[in-house]
Amino acid sequence: VQLVESGGGLVQPGGSLRLSCAASGFTFSDHYMDWVRQAPGKGLEWVGRIRNKGDHYSTEYAASVKGRFTVSRDDSENLLFLQMNTLNSEDTALYYCSRDKDGAADYWGQGTLVTVSS
Amino acid sequence: DVVMTQSPLSLPVTLGQPASISCRSSQSLVRSDGSTFLSWFQQRPGQSPRRLIYKVSNRDSGVPDRFSGSASGTEFTLTINRVEAEDVGVYYCMQNSHWPLTIGGGTKVEIK
């Protein structure tokens, strides 16, 4: 199992960024997938989830990002996405993608850093 | 939202001695089907989190058997039987019984 995030970088407040997570080594389409972030020196914060096709690709979001962030997936390419709009300094964090199994993330990527600053 | 409260914040331990971390949920995590989605994660310095325990007491593959999870009502405990140097890091509990998924603030384990 491998999860590799990309797309992070420096963005100005109010800007947008799209993160990607490339999955391999397992049947991606079977699994729910999550995004979890970690601000510098802080704890983990769950961001959002997307379920599989069987559960209609339904999504869930943390209140702090709802309406600004969108989780999507491309099962044909084994890719997970996080579209982030209207970014602010509180969104500065290392963003991890993770695979859900047995009700919690059993594999995590190495993370991609998003810095929101002018 | 379910609040997950971990204690202690910091846990200095002696090599070879046991250590316990507590995680208390603000409400029951038992779902209508009887399952309880409480997991424990270890984050070593500079690394991504790693799941140790899922559904309260199930150890993940490759996790040493010195790690164990238990529960009593809304209090959940991660126990390290005999602490080794590689156990240094921050430990988090996470609940996924109720939306939104919530994570405890973390407990930093360090060697005395």
Side-chain angles (χ1 to χ4, degrees):
Chain A
V1 174
Q2 195 170 16
L3 299 168
V4 179
E5 303 92 337
S6 61
L10 177 63
V11 60
Q12 291 191 335
S16 298
L17 210 56
R18 189 195 199 202
L19 306 183
S20 299
C21 170
S24 60
F26 65 101
T27 306
F28 178 72
S29 58
D30 283 351
H31 290 267
Y32 298 178
M33 299 294 294
D34 288 320
W35 287 98
V36 179
R37 68 184 180 183
Q38 187 168 35
K42 302 295 185 183
L44 302 172
E45 179 188 17
W46 172 78
V47 171
R49 161 168 293 191
I50 187 165
R51 297 182 178 89
N52 57 20
K53 184 178 180 181
D55 285 309
H56 313 292
Y57 298 122
S58 57
T59 53
E60 307 279 353
Y61 297 96
S64 57
V65 307
K66 197 167 185 177
R68 299 188 299 124
F69 288 15
T70 302
V71 182
S72 61
R73 64 192 295 164
D74 182 342
D75 288 350
S76 67
E77 297 288 338
N78 292 347
L79 289 170
L80 175 72
F81 302 104
L82 180 65
Q83 177 66 44
M84 305 185 295
N85 298 330
T86 321
L87 287 161
N88 59 62
S89 58
E90 294 180 350
D91 297 317
T92 293
L94 188 62
Y95 284 74
Y96 296 103
C97 71
S98 62
R99 179 185 86 164
D100 181 88
K101 186 171 185 290
D102 295 314
D106 68 335
Y107 280 94
W108 299 62
Q110 83 290 346
T112 188
L113 182 62
V114 172
T115 303
V116 183
S117 175
S118 55
Chain B
D1 297 1
V2 178
V3 177
M4 305 298 289
T5 304
Q6 285 187 236
S7 61
L9 256 59
S10 176
L11 182 58
V13 297
T14 301
L15 289 175
Q17 294 299 303
S20 288
I21 299 169
S22 172
C23 176
R24 188 181 300 268
S25 59
S26 61
Q27 64 187 76
S28 172
L29 298 184
V30 180
R31 292 155 50 110
S32 55
D33 63 2
S35 60
T36 301
F37 285 174
L38 185 284
S39 303
W40 288 97
F41 296 83
Q42 174 195 63
Q43 188 175 32
R44 291 171 171 152
Q47 295 187 12
S48 300
R50 168 198 183 195
R51 195 176 73 178
L52 301 174
I53 302 283
Y54 63 96
K55 290 184 181 177
V56 180
S57 58
N58 295 276
R59 198 180 306 114
D60 270 281
S61 175
V63 174
D65 61 7
R66 65 178 180 275
F67 290 93
S68 62
S70 61
S72 176
T74 59
E75 179 144 7
F76 301 86
T77 302
L78 176 71
T79 300
I80 310 174
N81 207 352
R82 288 180 299 277
V83 172
E84 298 188 5
E86 66 179 16
D87 300 335
V88 165
V90 181
Y91 291 77
Y92 298 92
C93 60
M94 174 193 290
Q95 72 81 23
N96 192 15
S97 286
H98 308 290
W99 288 104
L101 185 160
T102 48
I103 304 172
T107 294
K108 186 173 185 178
V109 171
E110 52 190 12
I111 304 300
K112 279 183 185 175

